[in-house]
Amino acid sequence: MWSKKTTRMGCALAVCASLIVVLGTGQGEASQAAETPASLASIADHQTVYANLSADGHVQQATVVDWLRVSGEGKVAIRIPEPLKNVVNLSGPETPQRVGQETVWYLDLTQTGLPKTQNGAPYRDLYYQTTSDQPLPVAVSIHYQLNGKPVDANQIAGQSGKLEVTLTLHNKLKEKKQVTAPKYGGGRQTQSQEVYTPFIAMATLGLPMDQYQSVDAPKAMAVAVGKTTNYSWILNPAPDDKLTLTVQSDALKLPSFQIQLIPGVLDLPLPDLVGQMKPMADGLTQIEQAANAIAVGSKPLADGSAQIASGLGQSQAGIAKLAQLADAQKRVALQGASAAQQLAPAAQQLSEGSVQLAGGLAQLKTQSDALPKLADALVQLNTGMQQLQEPTQALKPAAQQLLKDAQTVQASGSADAQQQAQALKQMAEALQGLAEGLPKVSTGLQQVSGQATPLKALPTAVTQLSQGAQGVANGLKQFSQGMGGVQTLFDLLAKGGQLQGQQMPGLSTLASGLSQANDGLTQLQAGAQQLAEGQKQVGTGTEQLDQGLAAMREKLVEGLNTAYAQQANFDAGKAQADAYTHFLPIPTHSTAQVRFLLQTKAIGQ
């Protein structure tokens, strides 16, 4: 996580001291033998580095004001492991002594009236200043543009126009380190990085507003104090940061910039980016796994849907054939009903003719002794037979049609169809026999009527003929009655109706239902094919989604690992800031902190 622990920024309040240079680092008297070791004293070292800068930011002079708070018992020797230059005591008469390569201060804590710490130990404050020529940890550079053109600082005073100022801070405290950070998913990552010691920088500038026509100070905090407006910028040179200022005046001048530097980082609440990114990476991983599973499962689903579509196509073909067969059966039934309807009048005529024939034969039988009567009867009988010739000829095609209908019905394969076919065959055979027998009878009658001489055997022949005619009359009567039933049966098969008290669907209903089923299967097959295509598209789209999620997760994990590394770099820099406690060497066994106060040279003041 991003650390929210930061060092609070404060302003270094230095002691106003004279900058008189005094060469006071000569050898002095040695301390008394009863001096207290520094390890037994408590020493807090507060260093403030004052630096005068040129108008372009170069260091002209650096002075360190050191405040030592020493508490303990007896006479204390404060040993600084380096010879200091130009040391001036700002708080008392003591002078430092040079002992080898050390600078030693001797303080007497046995004096009466000394203040005491909270634990009751007496203490003394020692303020001294010294000069240093070692470089500052942060370099300052200032560039100017007058009316859009670069210009040196010494050419600005008194000019008219717009002055643009760019002040840049460059952090020079960096270390090459092997920084170790966690990795997403476990493990550690180690990278060689340049770690900068962070500084909080505050730059301030007080501008008398009556001297400027306009002021533009981006990202600055402005506070008006009378006729002066104080502008303040918070900067973070890691490694660089800058501020810009633009002023407009008829007689340009620019006061000094005051720059305070404190090792550390700002105490600002930072968003927990890593904490927010990790659940996102976890979620993307889960979504990626789910998308991969969908992509893998979509192919067998698509194959199964394609097989369903193929099976529906086969079922559709079978139902289409059944629909054709039912339609053909319906047409056969309708044709059979039509044929039966046509046969009914012929059967009626045959029945009437057979009755006349039977009557004639009866008369012939009773009057066979009288030839004239017999001749008349034969003529009448022959006439009747002639009347039967025409309807007899209609029986043959009807019988042939019944045979065809029987074959068609038999082809449907059901048990009822077999019975119907058998009945139709028997009826066709009867019609065929009737059609073939009647012409023979007619031929015989013609022969008898043409040869009336041999009439001795006529009574016997007439008796047999009368019996046959009576049988034909009875058969034709039954046939005529049966034709109505046949027509009713064919109508029932074709159109449906009541059969033995139960509703029977006709072949037309069956054909219509099979046609609708065929249409439904066509739609189902189209839907199954669309489903298969859709599942293929889902699989393809899911694969693309999986690839996109993988790339997104890879980038997010890369960013997360970068954030881990940056956090580790940040923590390493903060640790360096915590360790950067002094600019000059500090006394042995002491705690320390350091602040910097830089001031640029004013222009035209």
Side-chain angles (χ1 to χ4, degrees), residues 153-195:
N154 57 11
Q155 299 175 342
I156 296 174
Q159 296 292 325
S160 175
K162 182 173 69 173
L163 178 65
E164 299 176 46
V165 183
T166 302
L167 186 151
T168 303
L169 300 181
H170 175 67
N171 192 334
K172 299 190 297 183
L173 289 185
K174 66 179 179 180
E175 295 184 29
K176 196 76 170 180
K177 287 187 174 182
Q178 295 296 113
V179 179
T180 300
K183 289 180 63 176
Y184 175 76
R188 310 286 291 178
Q189 55 177 331
T190 301
Q191 299 177 355
S192 178
Q193 297 184 10
E194 289 185 343
V195 180

Side-chain angles (χ1 to χ4, degrees), residues 108-132:
D108 187 1
L109 299 179
T110 62
Q111 300 174 2
T112 59
L114 292 177
K116 295 184 179 181
T117 62
Q118 291 182 352
N119 60 11
Y123 71 86
R124 284 188 59 184
D125 288 329
L126 172 63
Y127 294 92
Y128 71 91
Q129 70 177 34
T130 181
T131 60
S132 175

